[in-house]
Amino acid sequence: MTTSFLVQDAPLPYCKGCGHGLVLRAFGAALESLHLPPAQVAVVTDIGCVGLADALFATPHTVHTTHGRSTAFATGLALADCVLGGAKLKPVVMIGDGGAMIGINHLVNAALLNADITVLVHNNFLFGMTGGQNSAFSPEDFVTATTPAGNAVPPLDLAKVLLASRASFVARKITTDRDLSEVIARAIAHPGFAVVEILELCTGFATKWNPLTGAQLKQVAEKAGYELGVMREEIRQTF
């Protein structure tokens, strides 16, 4: 018998076709497959469209944080639980590419500490909630509200940054990958810092300004030189 972590049949608070809904469902399926007690899961959300998911979780703890700081909050939860709670709590961060850009130093330091948290980066290549502005993850020539002629600089490769930061589990997936929930489950079960960057569509802005479909996300990754799949899965000591 599985435990339902999400509110059943709740309408998703996202634009039609937005990748956030697919990630949320995959995340819910991953939690259920692991048979974790809901009281031992803390979902830590960032500001932005991704934070609208808070109300959709029925049973685990939820913490809504300040913009870009969700990884720092989750790291604090994990380290405090190691000292006070017997290391039973599993914080899972839900953050967008905007929040990841703003809080990248928190991601780097959590990776260096190898804090026992999982980070799900919803990368739709722009700031979706505030009008579709450019982010550090916007592809070259990508049209956004602040780059109407196309983005002139190459996107940051977050996975490589975190690999260089000694992250012990690093993966990059696409929302439509059939094994997305399986990879998320592996990341949550991993004893240490784990990040899954998920490439997805913002149908509110990105697909209106760019000739982009879900089937083309792999091409976006290839053009940016992004490696897909699980890039590292190793055990090392947590600080």
Side-chain angles (χ1 to χ4, degrees):
M1 183 176 180
T2 59
T3 300
S4 178
F5 284 79
L6 296 172
V7 177
Q8 296 301 298
D9 301 320
L12 296 177
Y14 304 122
C15 301
K16 184 177 180 181
C18 171
H20 283 20
L22 293 174
V23 177
L24 183 66
R25 296 302 187 200
F27 177 32
L31 289 173
E32 290 170 17
S33 72
L34 292 169
H35 304 290
L36 294 172
Q40 293 180 13
V41 177
V43 180
V44 184
T45 58
D46 210 86
I47 298 298
C49 297
V50 68
L52 297 173
D54 290 358
L56 300 178
F57 288 96
T59 51
H61 305 289
T62 56
V63 183
H64 193 68
T65 73
T66 47
H67 203 9
R69 309 302 186 252
S70 49
T71 305
F73 277 86
T75 300
L77 286 171
L79 295 179
D81 185 62
C82 282
V83 176
L84 303 173
K88 294 180 180 178
L89 186 69
K90 187 72 179 195
V92 182
V93 175
M94 297 180 69
I95 191 170
D97 56 300
M101 179 184 82
I102 290 170
I104 193 161
N105 196 43
H106 298 305
L107 285 161
V108 166
N109 280 284
L112 290 169
L113 288 168
N114 199 33
D116 190 15
I117 68 172
T118 299
V119 182
L120 305 180
V121 180
H122 300 58
N123 185 0
N124 57 16
F125 314 120
L126 45 68
F127 284 75
M129 177 168 275
T130 54
Q133 296 89 345
N134 184 68
S135 86
F137 303 90
S138 299
E140 286 188 81
D141 303 319
F142 204 68
V143 175
T144 72
T146 47
T147 57
N151 181 37
V153 298
L156 181 70
D157 190 328
L158 180 63
K160 284 187 177 178
V161 170
L162 295 177
L163 285 167
S165 304
R166 313 289 181 87
S168 54
F169 185 105
V170 180
R172 182 185 282 121
K173 300 295 293 178
I174 293 173
T175 44
T176 52
D177 287 343
R178 292 184 179 182
D179 64 344
L180 178 59
S181 63
E182 177 188 328
V183 171
I184 292 174
R186 282 169 62 184
I188 295 170
H190 179 76
F193 180 85
V195 60
V196 183
E197 179 187 357
I198 305 155
L199 307 183
E200 57 169 83
L201 294 179
C202 170
T203 51
F205 298 104
T207 59
K208 290 181 180 180
W209 299 332
N210 299 275
L212 181 64
T213 67
Q216 293 171 319
L217 287 171
K218 188 174 182 181
Q219 296 174 23
V220 172
E222 290 173 350
K223 184 178 179 181
Y226 286 168
E227 183 179 349
L228 296 172
V230 177
M231 287 164 260
R232 179 182 291 158
E233 187 173 9
E234 64 183 30
I235 304 299
R236 73 176 178 88
Q237 187 176 0
T238 295
F239 175 77

